[in-house]
Amino acid sequence: GSCMENAELYHRQHLTFIGTIRALSAAIDAKDQYTRGHSERVAMLSELLADKVGYSEEDVERIRISGLVHDVGKIGVPEAVLCKPGRLTDEEYNAIKQHPCIGYEIMKGIPDLQDILPGVLHHHERWDGKGYPHKLAGEAIPHMARIMALADTFDAMSSNRAYRAAMSREKVFAEFRKCAGSQFDPDLVEPFLSLD
C-alpha cells in the first residue's frame, strides 16, 4: 500500500541526501591531498563522542552530518594557501580563517540543514575564547561545535600535513590533556580519549 511506498520513498530520499552530503565533503577533501578522508574521519569521531556523552540516536546522526560538511567553506579558500608547505603569512592565515563563515553561508539556505550550522560555523572556537570566527568562550560555544573541535584537531594532529608529519598517539593524547580547559571543553577530553 501507499504507506510502504512512502517509507520506500523516504528511505530513497534519505540515501540521496546522505550521498549528496558525502559527495560534497569528498569534493572539499579532494582540494588538498593531505585532507583526503578528513571529513569522513571527523564525522565518525564526532559521532562516537556524541554517542558516548549521551546524545540521542537522531542527534548523533545530525552531528555526523555536520562533521561531513564542517570544512565545506574551504572551497572558497585558494589552493595555494590551503596546500602551502611552509609557515602561513598573517594574510594567508586570515584567508583560511574565513572557511567556517564561507561554509555557513553556503549551507544556510538548505532548510533541512539549519540544525547542523553551529558545527560548521563554530568548530574552530576555543574554550578560552581565543578561537575563530566569533571568539566564543566556554558554554557560549554550541555543544556540537565543542565535540567537533576535538574530532577535527585529533584528526589534524594524527595525519600528515603539508607543513609537518603526523604526531604519535601518545603525543596527541598528552597534548589533548594539556589543552583541556584552554582549547577544549574540559568535560569532553576524557570521554574523547576513552573512545576506542
Side-chain angles (χ1 to χ4, degrees):
S2 77
C3 185
M4 279 304 288
E5 280 162 28
N6 279 345
E8 174 64 24
L9 179 65
Y10 173 78
H11 183 63
R12 284 223 333 259
Q13 279 176 337
H14 188 68
L15 288 179
T16 300
F17 169 68
I18 294 294
T20 305
I21 293 292
R22 289 183 68 170
L24 189 58
S25 86
I28 308 315
D29 286 357
K31 270 178 77 90
D32 177 354
Q33 62 170 339
Y34 290 100
T35 57
R36 206 155 297 148
H38 169 71
S39 298
E40 288 275 358
R41 292 189 300 271
V42 169
M44 184 188 71
L45 290 168
S46 300
E47 174 181 26
L48 292 172
L49 181 55
D51 184 54
K52 179 111 193 175
V53 298
Y55 275 70
S56 70
E57 203 176 321
E58 205 170 303
D59 289 340
V60 165
E61 166 77 350
R62 301 311 287 173
I63 285 184
R64 189 174 93 85
I65 290 167
S66 194
L68 282 172
V69 297
H70 75 284
D71 272 348
V72 73
K74 285 191 173 169
I75 209 153
V77 180
E79 274 91 341
V81 175
L82 276 184
C83 310
K84 187 179 170 183
R87 263 188 79 83
L88 296 172
T89 65
D90 287 350
E91 201 180 347
E92 287 166 337
Y93 185 47
N94 285 333
I96 285 188
K97 281 162 68 170
Q98 294 306 308
H99 81 268
C101 295
I102 297 170
Y104 176 83
E105 290 299 323
I106 289 172
M107 305 306 281
K108 73 173 188 198
I110 305 174
D112 287 349
L113 293 183
Q114 294 303 306
D115 61 332
I116 70 146
L117 293 173
V120 175
L121 186 57
H122 296 300
H123 64 276
H124 283 289
E125 304 285 359
R126 290 171 48 112
W127 187 254
D128 60 12
K130 293 178 184 166
Y132 64 87
H134 295 149
K135 294 193 165 25
L136 301 181
E139 301 286 334
I141 306 166
H143 201 262
M144 162 192 277
R146 288 181 243 163
I147 285 178
M148 283 165 52
L150 282 159
D152 189 35
T153 306
F154 182 83
D155 189 67
M157 286 180 165
S158 305
S159 311
N160 288 313
R161 288 291 166 101
Y163 45 91
R164 57 150 181 76
M167 288 162 66
S168 72
R169 185 73 28 119
E170 291 71 41
K171 207 168 161 186
V172 173
F173 274 44
E175 194 64 26
F176 267 62
R177 290 201 168 97
K178 203 178 82 187
C179 295
S182 57
Q183 186 169 352
F184 306 124
D185 178 342
D187 293 338
L188 289 175
V189 172
E190 288 308 325
F192 182 74
L193 297 180
S194 72
L195 295 174
D196 194 12

